[in-house]
Amino acid sequence: MTEVRQRITREQEAEGQGPGLEARVTGDGETPSDSESKPLPAATPPGQGTDDTPEVLNRALSKLSSRWKNWWVRGILTLAMISFFFFIIYLGPIVLMMIVMCVQIKCFQEIIMIGYNVYHSYDLPWFRTLSWYFLLCVNYFFYGETVTDYFFTLVQREEPLRILSKYHRFISFALYLLGFCMFVLSLVKKHYRLQFYMFGWTHVTLLIVVTQSHLIIHNLFEGMIWFIVPISCVICNDIMAYMFGFFFGRTPLIKLSPKKTWEGFMGGFFSTVVFGLLLSYFMAGYSYFVCPVEFNNDTNRFTVDCQPPELFQLQEYHIPLVVQSVIGWKTVWMYPFQIHSIALSTFASLIGPFGGFFASGFKRAFKIKDFANTIPGHGGIMDRFDCQYLMATFVNVYIASFIRGPNPSKLLQQFLTLRPDQQLHIFSTLRGHLLDKRMLLEHQEEA
């Protein structure tokens, strides 16, 4: 009997489940409860495993095979989502920010519910309350930073906002500390391990979802083109990789996603690069898309009106001799942004899919097909945005590294909030610097 138990224990350890319950005893002699011994793979989120296709589509496509039925369902709903995307772009940056916020909340809810169901966390005190409380705290911190940064003049004009802005980080830390203390007070002896599992689960979810959505908002403020082009490239790559894989796919790409093929991967790459160049050329010609989103203090509204920078002005480029012999052109007129779009579309098609592979591995680890069944044929919202979050981080880093320079308007806003003696000191220092470089004298002579 002892040999049998030892053999079972070795098999469980080999499968990554750890030692058997008989060998697992806590330091105070207590055997862990069933709920914290291991995740229960059979517990899938509600609604999964059922056919969530609308009845109208089921009837219309009833004569097709399951393969082609899935193709049409995904295609029709993809067109509907793209149409909705165009509609919210038309409504402007405020609506886009609200949509990003809603998507963030839904993605957070889907991931938290997986942990809640898989680990059978029904009896954990305050688990869901604390999860949503931490979401509120982190959003308060990030969006407070954004408001202070982009609405500096408005914040300084209103006394309550000025006080909140001045002590924003302290208030954010105090709110988080309150949640941390609540978590410690909620610890129950028989659920210690499971409670710390879910505490870590919540914080990793916040890191993945909230931080990335905050970066998406920052990208949007740099100009809607930095929001639309990256998202569109990911969407294009997703669609074209599916199309090429559906019709030409033969060679498996990665074990985490058995349906992904090399043909779809490479077809999506080349299609996305071409699409990125064309979309960038179209959008770079409109100030509505290329101008930074700024807050106008006179009208108390967002504005996207400016003189387009050189990045969005047509320039002539000389084509390499090797390429000239093929296409017969010596020069080509392009927007400089189109060159940057190649980097964006390359990342979206070659690195972006790894966000999807990561999500596939996550779902396989907990034996679930999708994060939820919000969108028929597509799964949950997180299933559609797994690559977008990785893309948002890349775009933000790319802008900070290669595009963004000092912002004179923000420097002036901060300068005007200083005390008069500080302003005079900066003025005298700047005047001396300009005199040393003979720039101030030249401007005075011109005047």
Side-chain angles (χ1 to χ4, degrees):
M1 188 66 172
T2 304
E3 293 178 358
V4 173
R5 289 181 178 178
Q6 290 176 347
R7 180 165 55 84
I8 293 173
T9 300
R10 285 197 299 271
E11 290 176 355
Q12 289 178 333
E13 290 175 346
E15 294 175 359
Q17 296 178 357
L21 281 178
E22 294 148 344
R24 294 173 61 188
V25 181
T26 58
D28 57 358
E30 179 191 3
T31 300
S33 63
D34 292 341
S35 63
E36 55 181 350
S37 62
K38 60 181 179 179
L40 301 178
T44 56
Q48 295 207 14
T50 60
D51 186 6
D52 52 3
T53 306
E55 187 61 31
V56 176
L57 290 179
N58 268 331
R59 286 199 301 267
L61 306 174
S62 59
K63 296 182 180 180
L64 297 177
S65 64
S66 59
R67 182 170 181 261
W68 280 99
K69 178 183 176 182
N70 181 63
W71 190 88
W72 278 104
V73 170
R74 289 175 65 93
I76 292 170
L77 292 174
T78 296
L79 290 176
M81 287 188 288
I82 292 174
S83 302
F84 177 71
F85 182 56
F86 286 146
F87 177 68
I88 61 175
I89 289 173
Y90 170 77
L91 294 178
I94 289 291
V95 177
L96 282 173
M97 284 185 274
M98 293 174 62
I99 293 295
V100 170
M101 184 68 155
C102 293
V103 168
Q104 173 214 117
I105 294 173
K106 187 65 175 72
C107 290
F108 180 83
Q109 182 263 342
E110 289 178 0
I111 299 177
I112 288 296
M113 285 304 298
I114 290 174
Y116 183 74
N117 286 283
V118 169
Y119 284 99
H120 278 202
S121 308
Y122 314 119
D123 298 326
L124 291 188
W126 302 355
F127 164 61
R128 286 194 290 186
T129 302
L130 285 175
S131 296
W132 289 102
Y133 176 80
F134 282 126
L135 176 67
L136 178 65
C137 291
V138 175
N139 271 306
Y140 175 80
F141 170 74
F142 279 126
Y143 283 95
E145 293 282 311
T146 301
V147 169
T148 302
D149 190 22
Y150 289 97
F151 310 114
F152 188 81
T153 305
L154 174 64
V155 169
Q156 294 300 317
R157 193 172 62 193
E158 302 292 336
E159 183 65 18
L161 292 178
R162 189 180 63 80
I163 295 174
L164 287 174
S165 173
K166 183 178 180 180
Y167 303 105
H168 171 68
R169 296 194 175 184
F170 181 82
I171 295 172
S172 301
F173 177 72
L175 290 173
Y176 177 83
L177 202 59
L178 176 61
F180 178 80
C181 293
M182 290 170 63
F183 167 75
V184 174
L185 293 174
S186 71
L187 290 173
V188 178
K189 187 174 183 180
K190 64 178 181 178
H191 291 310
Y192 283 158
R193 185 179 295 118
L194 182 55
Q195 285 182 286
F196 279 101
Y197 280 162
M198 302 316 299
F199 184 78
W201 184 288
T202 299
H203 281 68
V204 171
T205 305
L206 291 172
L207 177 65
I208 294 174
V209 175
V210 182
T211 305
Q212 312 306 319
S213 62
H214 174 68
L215 297 181
I216 292 176
I217 299 290
H218 271 235
N219 298 340
L220 177 60
F221 276 108
E222 295 295 330
M224 291 180 66
I225 195 169
W226 291 104
F227 173 85
I228 297 171
V229 169
I231 287 181
S232 300
C233 284
V234 172
I235 294 172
C236 174
N237 181 72
D238 193 29
I239 294 173
M240 298 310 298
Y242 177 77
M243 297 286 285
F244 275 89
F246 186 87
F247 290 106
F248 309 110
R250 295 292 183 273
T251 312
L253 175 63
I254 187 171
K255 291 183 179 179
L256 283 173
S257 296
K259 293 183 180 180
K260 299 289 193 302
T261 63
W262 275 104
E263 291 81 3
F265 187 72
M266 298 310 297
F269 166 65
F270 289 110
S271 302
T272 304
V273 171
V274 174
F275 172 80
L277 286 169
L278 296 176
L279 180 63
S280 300
Y281 183 83
F282 169 76
M283 297 186 66
Y286 295 90
S287 59
Y288 178 76
F289 295 120
V290 304
C291 291
V293 180
E294 296 180 345
F295 186 78
N296 190 313
N297 295 294
D298 298 327
T299 61
N300 289 328
R301 296 182 63 183
F302 285 98
T303 59
V304 284
D305 186 24
C306 69
Q307 179 65 32
E310 291 185 3
L311 188 64
F312 303 105
Q313 295 179 9
L314 280 173
Q315 297 183 21
E316 188 177 18
Y317 292 90
H318 292 278
I319 299 175
L321 294 176
V322 178
V323 183
Q324 286 183 24
S325 60
V326 178
I327 63 176
W329 298 347
K330 294 184 178 181
T331 61
V332 63
W333 287 87
M334 293 176 59
Y335 293 101
F337 179 79
Q338 288 181 272
I339 299 174
H340 294 289
S341 75
I342 296 175
L344 298 178
S345 56
T346 299
F347 184 91
S349 53
L350 297 184
I351 307 299
F354 280 84
F357 300 152
F358 176 84
S360 296
F362 178 88
K363 289 182 284 189
R364 282 180 172 273
F366 295 101
K367 303 186 186 308
I368 57 175
K369 181 183 178 183
D370 297 311
F371 283 95
N373 59 355
T374 309
I375 310 171
H378 291 267
I381 298 295
M382 191 64 198
D383 290 286
R384 294 298 91 209
F385 282 84
D386 47 12
C387 301
Q388 296 288 3
Y389 285 126
L390 192 61
M391 188 71 190
T393 304
F394 172 74
V395 174
N396 192 268
V397 172
Y398 189 88
I399 292 173
S401 302
F402 304 109
I403 305 298
R404 185 189 297 132
N407 191 325
S409 62
K410 289 185 179 180
L411 291 175
L412 182 60
Q413 288 175 356
Q414 294 177 349
F415 175 78
L416 295 175
T417 59
L418 298 175
R419 299 194 308 270
D421 60 314
Q422 293 174 323
Q423 293 179 0
L424 287 172
H425 175 71
I426 294 176
F427 171 75
S428 61
T429 304
L430 180 61
R431 184 173 180 275
H433 175 74
L434 295 176
L435 286 171
D436 289 341
K437 290 193 171 184
R438 297 180 179 275
M439 295 176 64
L440 189 60
L441 290 175
E442 292 174 2
H443 281 286
Q444 288 177 346
E445 290 173 0
E446 292 176 2

